[in-house]
Amino acid sequence: MTEKNAIRMRSWLFAPGDSEKKMGKAIASDADIALLDLEDSVVPARKAEAREMVAAAITGAANKARVWVRVNPLSGGLTQADLDAVIGAGPGGIFLPKAEGGRDVETLDAMLTACEQAAGIASGSTKVAALVTETAAAMFTTGTYDRALPAQRRLVAMSWGAEDLSSELGAREQRGPDGEYTHVYEMARSLCLVGAVKAGVAPIETVQPEFRDLEALERRARSVRASGYRGMLAIHPAQIAPINAAFTPSAEELAHARAIVQAFADNPNAGTVAMDGNMLDRPHLALAERLLAESGAS
């Protein structure tokens, strides 16, 4: 399926919804999406106040399309109040945590449609991203997000998370001595990737909590991009530059892609072409065309 990727989604920067200062920094940053949080970073006693603060931050943003809100999970009974408070301000999208399949997107779609109608906003204009591996049940439904029609028209991205999953599993560690995720979390990453591709949306890598180690962050970002991920979540403004750099094709990559496209254009009836000592076939052409399309290059 073709990704609905009109929105640039290399970097998503979280900011607590009860901190005017941090939300302001996120919105003013170079992050493609400023992600104002009403879930984990806001304690229950401050949820109501945070909703008002988030709505005000969205209202004051120059480009609302890149200001999104992470609401509380559907299972917690707080999602409706979150949406009632923020949709009228016109956020670009809603980030749904602890999603457990396409049916959750359908449920959220119905809630969003009612809020949009009440606010006089075009139905379907609020986009959705889903965190799809935060519970054990969610791990078994990552391939169902393409079935949530017509609600699936809103879905543009899927991401994964390790912290909530490890809590549910009772796991004491997520990574091995080498710093890499252990098997179950690598499986979560892979399930998110293949589920997102099946749904035709962008797979987004989870956060790196060690926000001061920017070299490790960039290595990881480049590694997951090579595997097919299109962007990454961030928890600190300093992470945005290396993430954006990692998910932006280099001049060399673009030149190579153009050369592949040209080689096949010069040989329109060939299934394979030789270039730089390598034999390339039609999947190489599809990858090159995709890279150029996603980068806006030609």
Side-chain angles (χ1 to χ4, degrees):
M1 296 179 70
T2 302
E3 283 177 24
K4 301 162 290 183
N5 196 8
I7 310 165
R8 204 169 199 190
M9 294 184 281
R10 299 168 303 173
S11 51
W12 305 57
L13 178 58
F14 280 108
D18 60 352
S19 172
E20 183 177 341
K21 180 180 179 181
K22 291 180 180 178
M23 287 192 291
K25 284 186 175 181
I27 292 170
S29 75
D30 289 329
D32 290 336
I33 294 178
L35 195 51
L36 312 185
D37 187 30
L38 290 172
E39 194 209 10
D40 286 343
S41 66
V42 180
V43 298
R46 288 181 60 82
K47 298 282 188 187
E49 181 182 4
R51 291 181 186 118
E52 295 180 2
M53 295 174 68
V54 166
I58 298 166
T59 299
N63 181 4
K64 294 183 182 182
R66 59 176 288 274
V67 183
W68 287 44
V69 181
R70 179 167 71 169
V71 295
N72 287 281
L74 293 171
S75 59
L78 299 175
T79 315
Q80 187 64 65
D82 293 342
L83 298 176
D84 289 342
V86 305
I87 293 303
I94 295 297
F95 202 68
L96 180 66
K98 297 181 178 63
E100 294 186 344
R103 289 184 179 179
D104 280 359
V105 177
E106 292 177 331
T107 299
L108 181 61
D109 171 62
M111 298 166 73
L112 283 170
T113 297
C115 289
E116 287 168 340
Q117 290 173 348
I121 296 171
S123 179
S125 60
T126 311
K127 301 306 179 185
V128 169
L131 270 167
V132 301
T133 67
E134 292 189 299
T135 69
M139 295 280 280
F140 293 91
T141 62
T142 56
T144 67
Y145 287 87
D146 60 331
R147 303 176 194 169
L149 297 172
Q152 205 263 351
R153 71 191 188 281
R154 294 186 187 271
L155 190 68
V156 297
M158 289 164 54
S159 189
W160 70 284
E163 284 72 23
D164 285 282
L165 180 60
S166 65
S167 177
E168 178 156 325
L169 296 177
R172 290 178 304 219
E173 61 181 26
Q174 302 166 7
R175 305 187 195 187
D178 60 356
E180 297 298 320
Y181 281 108
T182 56
H183 175 71
V184 69
Y185 305 103
E186 286 291 351
M187 180 171 64
R189 175 188 273 156
S190 297
L191 287 171
C192 175
L193 174 62
V194 296
V197 172
K198 181 172 184 277
V201 303
I204 304 299
E205 171 68 354
T206 193
V207 300
Q208 177 159 310
E210 304 86 2
F211 63 88
R212 289 189 174 87
D213 192 346
L214 299 182
E215 290 185 4
L217 170 71
E218 185 162 6
R219 284 196 303 271
R220 177 173 154 196
R222 292 190 182 281
S223 174
V224 297
R225 180 188 168 222
S227 73
Y229 272 84
R230 313 289 193 267
M232 185 171 180
L233 307 179
I235 59 170
H236 192 279
Q239 295 181 314
I240 299 305
I243 289 175
N244 283 347
F247 286 96
T248 300
S250 67
E252 291 77 11
E253 287 179 279
L254 294 174
H256 184 65
R258 291 189 186 98
I260 292 174
V261 171
Q262 188 60 53
F264 278 95
D266 292 340
N267 299 274
N269 297 318
T272 61
V273 297
M275 193 174 80
D276 299 330
N278 295 307
M279 190 62 69
L280 307 180
D281 55 18
R282 291 285 166 174
H284 292 94
L285 173 61
L287 281 171
E289 290 174 336
R290 179 176 192 153
L291 177 69
L292 294 172
E294 290 179 352
S295 65
S298 59

